[in-house]
Amino acid sequence: MEPAGQDINLNSPNKGLLADTMTDVPVDVGGAVADPSRASLPEGMTEAEAEELRNELYKVEEEISTLRQVLSAKEKHAWDLKRQLGQTPLNQLKQNFTKGLQEVQMSNAYKKTQETLSQAGQKTTAALSTVGTAITRKLGDMRNSPTFKSFEDRVGSLKSKVVGSRENGADGLQSPTGEKSPQDNAPF
């Protein structure tokens, strides 16, 4: 097994197991071999060929482990260089976001969508303006209608009766001091 400080081979059947819980030595159980890799060979394969493949597999796994260690060291070195240059992960994220946004804005789909939304906005503004004009015209027509004029005249005459009676003191609502309150002269 590998020392505890070294990377564990992720392709190993023994990954994640502690060194003191398992050994690579086959155990003889009643004359049978306990190593599953040696228990049964594929049809047509000799023990020598199987051993050669196991050795090659071991070498490839060792190379993979070495490459992982080298990659890890290179990544750490790159991180140190970026830190020295002031390139924090947040700055890199901002740069990536800005670059992505620029690429999106330069795309044909974005330009077409922007143009379509602009046209839709102009049409909506024109439609709302037309509706507003129509409502204003209808309210004006309604105000000039005989029904509204009749209603306006009745409210006006009622107002003059109420305000006129207060000015004459006919409502009998005076302040306790006998003086008229400033509200008495307030418009309707």
Side-chain angles (χ1 to χ4, degrees), residues 68-87:
R68 282 192 180 121
Q69 291 172 358
V70 169
L71 178 62
S72 176
K74 294 283 184 182
E75 286 174 337
K76 183 180 182 303
H77 183 65
W79 186 83
D80 288 340
L81 292 173
K82 286 179 181 180
R83 186 181 46 80
Q84 289 174 357
L85 289 171
Q87 295 179 356

Side-chain angles (χ1 to χ4, degrees), residues 27 45-46 59:
V27 177
M45 185 179 286
T46 65
K59 288 177 186 176

Side-chain angles (χ1 to χ4, degrees), residues 1-2 12-15 17-27 33-38 51 54 58 61-62:
M1 285 307 260
E2 299 174 1
S12 170
N14 300 332
K15 72 179 174 192
L17 299 176
L18 298 174
D20 60 348
T21 61
M22 191 165 180
T23 63
D24 289 335
V25 179
V27 177
V33 177
D35 185 1
S37 64
R38 298 175 194 265
E51 188 61 34
R54 283 188 210 101
Y58 177 77
E61 287 176 345
E62 286 296 315

Side-chain angles (χ1 to χ4, degrees), residues 104-125:
V104 167
Q105 289 176 341
M106 299 304 285
S107 72
N108 287 334
Y110 179 83
K111 289 178 183 177
K112 287 180 182 178
T113 303
Q114 184 181 21
E115 183 179 312
T116 302
L117 290 176
S118 175
Q119 290 173 357
Q122 291 170 355
K123 289 179 181 179
T124 302
T125 301

Side-chain angles (χ1 to χ4, degrees), residues 41-183:
L41 297 175
E43 195 172 313
M45 185 179 286
T46 65
E47 182 64 36
E49 290 172 333
E51 188 61 34
E52 185 178 326
L53 289 175
R54 283 188 210 101
N55 288 337
E56 186 177 343
L57 176 62
Y58 177 77
K59 288 177 186 176
V60 169
E61 287 176 345
E62 286 296 315
E63 286 177 22
I64 290 171
S65 177
T66 302
L67 289 172
R68 282 192 180 121
Q69 291 172 358
V70 169
L71 178 62
S72 176
K74 294 283 184 182
E75 286 174 337
K76 183 180 182 303
H77 183 65
W79 186 83
D80 288 340
L81 292 173
K82 286 179 181 180
R83 186 181 46 80
Q84 289 174 357
L85 289 171
Q87 295 179 356
T88 64
L90 182 60
N91 288 343
Q92 289 177 329
L93 182 65
K94 287 179 185 177
Q95 289 172 352
N96 291 344
F97 181 74
T98 303
K99 182 180 176 184
L101 184 60
Q102 288 173 349
E103 289 174 0
V104 167
Q105 289 176 341
M106 299 304 285
S107 72
N108 287 334
Y110 179 83
K111 289 178 183 177
K112 287 180 182 178
T113 303
Q114 184 181 21
E115 183 179 312
T116 302
L117 290 176
S118 175
Q119 290 173 357
Q122 291 170 355
K123 289 179 181 179
T124 302
T125 301
L128 289 176
S129 175
T130 303
V131 167
T133 303
I135 290 173
T136 302
R137 189 177 319 123
K138 284 290 185 186
L139 288 175
D141 292 347
M142 190 173 85
R143 185 163 188 193
N144 293 329
S145 73
T147 307
F148 189 81
K149 291 279 186 187
S150 172
F151 178 73
E152 190 176 36
D153 290 342
R154 287 184 184 167
V155 170
S157 66
L158 182 63
K159 177 183 174 188
S160 64
K161 287 180 184 177
V162 171
V163 172
S165 64
R166 280 193 180 169
E167 289 175 357
N168 297 333
D171 62 357
L173 298 175
Q174 292 184 350
S175 68
T177 60
E179 299 175 7
K180 287 190 171 189
S181 68
Q183 291 177 350

